[in-house]
Amino acid sequence: MEILLIIFFFILGTTLGSFYNVVGLRLPNKESFYKKGDRSYCPNCKKQLAWWELIPVLSYMVQGGKCRGCKHNISFIYPTGELLTGLLFALSYIRFGLEVELFMGVSFVSMLMIIFISDISYMLIPNKILLFFLPFFIIVRIIQPLDPWWSSVTGAVTGFGLIFIIILLSRGGMGAGDMKLFGVLGLVLGFEKVILAFFLACLIGAFVGIVLMVLKIVKRKQPIPFGPFIVIAALISYFFGDAMVAWYVSLLI
């Protein structure tokens, strides 16, 4: 039964991950993704895709990463988003079981995957996504509060305020989208883990930035999206933050 539930959440995640790809890519362009007839299409030849071309991950592999119509390469973002969402949904079940926090886990993953796709594609974190998930996060944190309960409040204020100060001091070194995202992250993660997420995001971002410059993929001072690093750091903090914070505190004692 346990294995079947893990497989179920993996399949659910890959299926929803396919939809999150569409949302992340269309919402910044103000394209519809929810009306009848808004089926997925090839971004190159605009051909609408049949159902067998939309099977998460598998269709990409069978078609060799190319559109069946125009033979144009399909972005690796599509199968990557689907696979990661599936794995993270499965991890949410493994980590929390059939408890209230599972709903937070899959919703948190859902929001972050849409933001990952949107920011890596357009360097934009849509306000509508944050506003859509925020009420649900508040409700779940009321039903399943952190310990202590006020950690969500201090986490939200700290996450928002920290980036706000950085924006003021750096005169735009980070965006308002990052600031609002960290406010939402603080609500979900709490005070300690939102600080951890910020530290990890900076560490991962600096490392990747240096590697990209060494490989001459980007130039010095060329802007790169910070959202994907925030997403990775937030997921690490959410699933493994308690153990990481406990390990760090043990070093100080």
Side-chain angles (χ1 to χ4, degrees):
M1 184 64 179
E2 191 77 4
I3 297 298
L4 290 177
L5 283 170
I6 293 173
I7 294 173
F8 167 78
F9 278 100
F10 174 77
I11 294 175
L12 177 63
T14 57
T15 303
L16 290 176
S18 181
F19 174 67
Y20 299 155
N21 281 333
V22 174
V23 176
L25 291 170
R26 291 191 187 184
L27 186 60
N29 288 331
K30 298 182 180 179
E31 294 182 63
S32 176
F33 55 83
Y34 56 86
K35 293 180 181 178
K36 185 177 181 180
D38 292 332
R39 288 171 52 187
S40 296
Y41 56 83
C42 171
N44 184 60
C45 67
K46 308 302 179 183
K47 171 185 173 292
Q48 283 197 334
L49 305 181
W51 68 267
W52 60 82
E53 297 175 279
L54 298 172
I55 301 173
V57 183
L58 186 59
S59 291
Y60 182 89
M61 297 173 61
V62 171
Q63 294 171 203
K66 298 180 182 295
C67 171
R68 291 178 66 252
C70 65
K71 306 303 179 184
H72 191 268
N73 287 334
I74 300 172
S75 174
F76 73 95
I77 288 178
Y78 291 97
T80 301
E82 293 164 354
L83 184 60
L84 285 177
T85 307
L87 291 173
L88 290 168
F89 267 45
L91 178 59
S92 296
Y93 170 72
I94 294 171
R95 180 74 172 78
F96 305 115
L98 297 176
E99 302 291 339
V100 174
E101 191 64 28
L102 175 62
F103 295 100
M104 176 65 86
V106 296
S107 299
F108 193 54
V109 167
S110 298
M111 181 191 75
L112 292 178
M113 291 310 302
I114 295 173
I115 289 172
F116 182 90
I117 297 298
S118 176
D119 201 50
I120 203 171
S121 301
Y122 306 106
M123 294 185 67
L124 178 68
I125 298 175
N127 289 331
K128 289 183 179 179
I129 297 302
L130 298 177
L131 291 173
F132 177 83
F133 283 96
L134 180 59
F136 183 80
F137 292 157
I138 293 174
I139 292 171
V140 176
R141 275 293 166 254
I142 291 173
I143 298 173
Q144 183 69 51
L146 296 174
D147 184 19
W149 66 266
W150 42 260
S151 183
S152 288
V153 178
T154 55
V157 173
T158 301
F160 185 93
L162 188 61
I163 308 303
F164 178 74
I165 292 172
I166 291 174
I167 291 174
L168 288 180
L169 296 179
S170 63
R171 297 182 180 180
M174 294 184 73
D178 299 328
M179 177 179 67
K180 287 175 278 191
L181 174 57
F182 261 102
V184 176
L185 295 182
L187 173 70
V188 176
L189 299 174
F191 177 76
E192 291 180 342
K193 287 194 279 189
V194 78
I195 295 295
L196 175 63
F198 174 76
F199 172 76
L200 290 175
C202 293
L203 190 64
I204 296 169
F207 174 77
V208 173
I210 291 171
V211 171
L212 293 177
M213 284 191 290
V214 169
L215 297 177
K216 297 183 178 180
I217 297 175
V218 299
K219 298 179 181 179
R220 185 177 178 83
K221 294 186 178 181
Q222 177 180 339
I224 58 175
F226 192 55
F229 308 130
I230 298 175
V231 168
I232 294 170
L235 290 169
I236 293 173
S237 298
Y238 181 68
F239 288 109
F240 310 108
D242 290 330
M244 295 177 72
V245 170
W247 170 77
Y248 179 74
V249 171
S250 69
L251 295 178
L252 302 178
I253 299 177

